[in-house]
Amino acid sequence: VRTLSEHESKQLLAAYDVPVAPERIVATPDEAVAEASDLGMPVVVKLTGAGIAHKTERGLVRLGLDSEAAVHAAATELLAAAVADDGAVGLLVAPMVRGMREFIAGVHTDPQFGACVMLGFGGVLAEAVADVVFRLVPIDGVDAFEMLDELRGQRLLEELRGEPPVDRAALANVLCGLSRCAASRADVVAIDVNPLIISDGRPIAVDALVELADTGAAPR
Amino acid sequence: MSARFAPDRFRALFDPRGVLVAGVSSHPAKFGFVALHNILSQGYEGEVYGTNLEGGDVLGVPMLRSPEDLPAGAVVDLVFICTPSGANPELLRACGERGIGAAFVTSAGYGEAGAKGLAAQEALAAQAESLGMLLAGPNGQGVVSTPSHLCAQIVAPYPPAGSIGIASQSGNFVSSFQNFACASGVGVSRAVSAGNAAALGVADFLEYYAEDPTTRVGLAYVEGLADGRDFFERVRGVAARQPLVLLKGGATAGGQRAAASHTGALASDDRIFDGMCRQAGVTRAETVEDAFEAAATFATQPIPRGPRVAVITTAGGWGVVTADAIARSELELAVLAPDLVEAIDARLPPRWSRNNPVDLAGGETRDTIPEVLELVAGHPDVDAVIYLGLGIQSNQARLMRDGRFFPEHGLDRIVSYHERQDERFARAAADVSTATGKPILTATELAVADPDNAGPRTVRETGRVCYPSADRAVRALEHLWRRARYGAHRA
């Protein structure tokens, strides 16, 4: 199994209609500052590379950077934090996506049932809360809407503390996109979209990780 | 998807013109005796033969040495095998030669008994296939088919006739479901224990049930699945044709697996199985009671058109607790429309609840309950009714009948009045349900506390389930609503 970098993962998912924030990959702190100014502050800067999986746990994500100085400093520190096992690394610069609600969506290959699509409430408490629902690939729009309906925390899909209700059709569309991706790419072993932040009611993939099988890499 | 086995082939197993019991014993504790006894004692009308090595006769059936000794004119479609596994290849060969179309194998010593047993099992399946013989088992408990009065099992019971088709990876659950059928009166069409499923698996039986005109609901117990994806496709095909209730063992075994991805860490066997059932339109039950009651409810109640439930109760607390159970479910408590409140007002003193639950608050007279049932169930804002309080009068009647004052002091008259009333109420619930096409579920603990009470007894006589608690009625109704909604989403 090999993992795609965050950026490659998002590019793959974007091809299946999973909404992702615009982002740039650069090599130096100066380039990071230039892209941040272009995208508009505040931004997020992350260390990215095919060998890097658990960025949050390693402190490789810097959020809410709102000045050129802050971006430069964060970028410099991140490059310094890279270790040999990470392989080739770069800096990912993206606009800061804001939203109180975080979902997790993904694909899992079950030994009995094969590829499954998942939706759940996400963020750092995702595994503890475990409000998740699965379907077997492929799903259709009806299955996707029923997945939304089955989450226990329905209140979190409604209008919440000044944020509009979750656009159910847009969220269902993410699940259908993940299903299409898993169905058409035999080499996809797992997909994590975590978090999938609800910003202004609509889901945006803020981090993503795709695992591919080493062999059989040809699309179905 | 077409079934792996054509429906015609199952006739030899479920509706055989004659049965040969192989390995009959003269000892009433042995399976080979019990099987013959059960076939002979439950009304099976086909020809019955037996083989063993001792000869003589058992239960009036002369014992043959082998299938080759069957009389020339004998018509036998099913061989029920109780012989040691070592004898089976020769037995099967001889049965094949006689044109026997199906074998049910109870013998142990196959796949459950290690590598050597597994090899013997595979050889048995291959032999049956080459003989064109349908093979159920090995290591199974038997097959029941009420249209043919066939009780070919090495265990009890024999259930009443009905429309539930049972298939199980564990023979004990076939017995459990049939015991519930006996107790509730909601009957069974076919039942089979798949045993080690050398050839026929649970999904094969369920696919046959979907084609079988006498089976209207499938009910199955499964543990491990050899091919989950194949099982999914097949149960989805079955559920598209008839309600299918699954009870899964080992739902929590395995649990979360070590996985690199967060998605994988959240993927447990139970959650994926649950999603699979919902995607397939299959009703997944949590317990054995839940499984049987779901199937029995599908078999005996109309499917609700919506989730709005009205509760009718003769006493407050029951209604409140039932409303709580509805609130926890995917059902909704119906809102009583002003015209319905007004219509009930005309029949009850003002202390009734004027809300859902419809609490009659002891204000009912002779005809109130049938009338209110009709008004509430007939209203367009109500999709289903749960009726509580049946049997109270008969419970008092029982105390009077058993007491030392009976039948003096007018007790004989009041006792029979009370019992007639509960009979009327139970019949009204069934009649109004049929007339309106809406489910009306009756719940009282008297269903188990005193099954002979005129209330629960009459519910059984109407062919329906008297639920032992409102919670279980809510749960059963929720299963019906989920299936209705699944269909509506895909219409």
Side-chain angles (χ1 to χ4, degrees), chain A residues 107-117 135-139 179 182-183 220, chain B residues 1 203 207 225-237 272-273 276 279-280:
Chain A
V107 169
H108 166 72
T109 304
D110 180 75
Q112 274 202 323
F113 291 102
C116 303
V117 183
R135 288 292 187 274
L136 311 192
V137 169
I139 62 166
S179 172
R220 259 178 213 162
Chain B
M1 282 290 303
E207 283 181 335
L225 302 173
D227 182 344
R229 181 61 64 151
D230 176 68
F231 185 81
F232 164 68
E233 297 291 353
R234 297 171 74 191
V235 294
R236 179 157 67 172
I272 291 173
F273 191 84
M276 183 281 287
Q279 191 171 2

Side-chain angles (χ1 to χ4, degrees), chain B residues 216-217 243-245 281-284 290-307 309 329-331 383-385 433 437-441 464-465 467 472-488:
Chain B
R216 287 180 39 229
V217 180
L244 172 58
V245 180
V282 164
T283 299
R284 185 182 177 195
D290 185 28
F292 181 79
E293 279 165 15
T297 307
F298 278 119
T300 57
Q301 294 277 355
I303 296 286
R305 287 181 282 270
V309 185
S329 77
E330 292 172 17
L331 300 164
D383 298 309
V385 174
S433 169
K438 297 178 187 179
I440 300 182
L441 281 68
R464 299 188 180 219
V465 179
Y467 300 84
R472 277 159 71 168
V474 168
R475 180 77 182 146
L477 190 56
E478 183 181 31
H479 285 310
L480 264 58
W481 164 235
R482 282 184 181 172
R483 177 168 170 85
R485 185 179 56 193
Y486 179 90

Side-chain angles (χ1 to χ4, degrees), chain B residues 22-61:
Chain B
V24 172
S25 169
S26 57
H27 193 301
K30 303 273 190 191
F31 290 152
F33 179 96
V34 174
L36 182 66
H37 171 271
N38 290 352
I39 291 167
L40 292 173
S41 65
Q42 300 301 323
Y44 177 65
E45 289 168 355
E47 299 172 28
V48 179
Y49 300 93
T51 63
N52 69 16
L53 298 176
E54 295 94 60
D57 72 51
V58 179
L59 295 171
V61 177

Side-chain angles (χ1 to χ4, degrees), chain A residues 48-144:
Chain A
T48 181
I52 300 178
H54 297 286
K55 287 185 288 287
T56 307
E57 291 83 339
R58 286 181 55 195
L60 302 181
V61 179
R62 303 298 166 89
L63 302 173
L65 306 173
D66 57 3
S67 70
E68 293 188 359
V71 171
H72 197 279
T76 306
E77 286 168 22
L78 287 172
L79 288 173
V83 297
D85 283 353
D86 293 338
V89 297
L91 294 163
L92 185 154
V93 186
M96 180 76 193
V97 175
R98 291 186 188 281
M100 279 183 289
R101 286 167 286 190
E102 296 185 358
F103 284 83
I104 175 171
V107 169
H108 166 72
T109 304
D110 180 75
Q112 274 202 323
F113 291 102
C116 303
V117 183
M118 187 207 69
L119 172 69
F121 287 108
V124 290
L125 299 179
E127 285 172 36
V129 173
D131 187 359
V132 294
V133 50
F134 285 84
R135 288 292 187 274
L136 311 192
V137 169
I139 62 166
D140 62 17
V142 173
D143 294 320

Side-chain angles (χ1 to χ4, degrees), chain B residues 30 34 64 69 132 169 173 184 231 244 249 260 268 288 314 339 376 417 419 421 471:
Chain B
K30 303 273 190 191
V34 174
L64 312 171
D69 299 336
Q169 279 183 5
F173 273 110
S184 67
F231 185 81
L244 172 58
S268 65
V288 61
T314 54
D339 63 311
V376 172
Y417 171 76
E419 291 178 344
Q421 282 294 85
D471 285 74

Side-chain angles (χ1 to χ4, degrees), chain A residues 25-35 45 71-72 75-76 79 90-91 93:
Chain A
I25 304 294
V26 297
T28 68
D30 285 343
E31 288 168 350
V33 168
E35 295 298 350
V45 180
V71 171
H72 197 279
T76 306
L79 288 173
L91 294 163
V93 186

Side-chain angles (χ1 to χ4, degrees), chain B residues 248-478:
Chain B
K248 166 88 158 70
T252 53
Q256 274 104 322
R257 293 187 189 85
S261 69
H262 295 282
T263 304
L266 285 160
S268 65
D269 290 351
D270 188 53
R271 289 178 187 137
I272 291 173
F273 191 84
D274 205 67
M276 183 281 287
C277 288
R278 287 175 177 261
Q279 191 171 2
V282 164
T283 299
R284 185 182 177 195
E286 285 177 8
T287 64
V288 61
E289 299 95 327
D290 185 28
F292 181 79
E293 279 165 15
T297 307
F298 278 119
T300 57
Q301 294 277 355
I303 296 286
R305 287 181 282 270
R308 300 165 303 176
V309 185
V311 179
I312 299 176
T313 177
T314 54
W318 291 335
V320 175
V321 166
T322 308
D324 291 344
I326 290 170
R328 283 191 299 267
S329 77
E330 292 172 17
L331 300 164
E332 296 167 15
L333 209 53
V335 177
L336 298 192
D339 63 311
L340 181 55
V341 172
E342 210 171 288
I344 301 173
D345 271 339
R347 283 162 182 84
L348 279 170
R351 67 172 181 274
W352 80 278
S353 63
R354 308 191 88 245
N355 209 333
N356 187 12
V358 177
D359 177 4
L360 307 180
E364 65 269 26
T365 54
R366 190 179 171 280
D367 297 320
T368 313
I369 286 174
E371 285 174 3
V372 170
L373 274 170
E374 198 167 344
L375 283 173
V376 172
H379 197 277
D381 291 354
V382 172
D383 298 309
V385 174
I386 293 178
Y387 164 43
L388 312 170
L390 181 72
I392 296 180
Q393 289 181 241
S394 301
N395 210 27
Q396 178 57 42
R398 180 182 170 184
L399 212 57
M400 287 175 163
R401 189 199 298 280
D402 295 347
R404 64 191 173 94
F405 298 106
F406 187 83
E408 308 303 326
H409 311 282
L411 293 187
D412 56 342
R413 282 184 53 217
I414 199 69
V415 160
S416 68
Y417 171 76
H418 284 329
E419 291 178 344
R420 275 201 314 279
Q421 282 294 85
D422 277 320
E423 287 166 10
R424 279 185 70 211
F425 301 160
R427 291 200 190 283
D431 292 347
V432 172
S433 169
T434 303
T436 55
K438 297 178 187 179
I440 300 182
L441 281 68
T442 303
T444 167
E445 70 285 352
L446 290 166
V448 287
D450 184 12
D452 296 330
N453 177 298
R457 173 176 51 74
T458 311
V459 174
R460 288 199 304 278
E461 285 167 12
T462 66
R464 299 188 180 219
V465 179
C466 190
Y467 300 84
S469 73
D471 285 74
R472 277 159 71 168
V474 168
R475 180 77 182 146
L477 190 56
E478 183 181 31

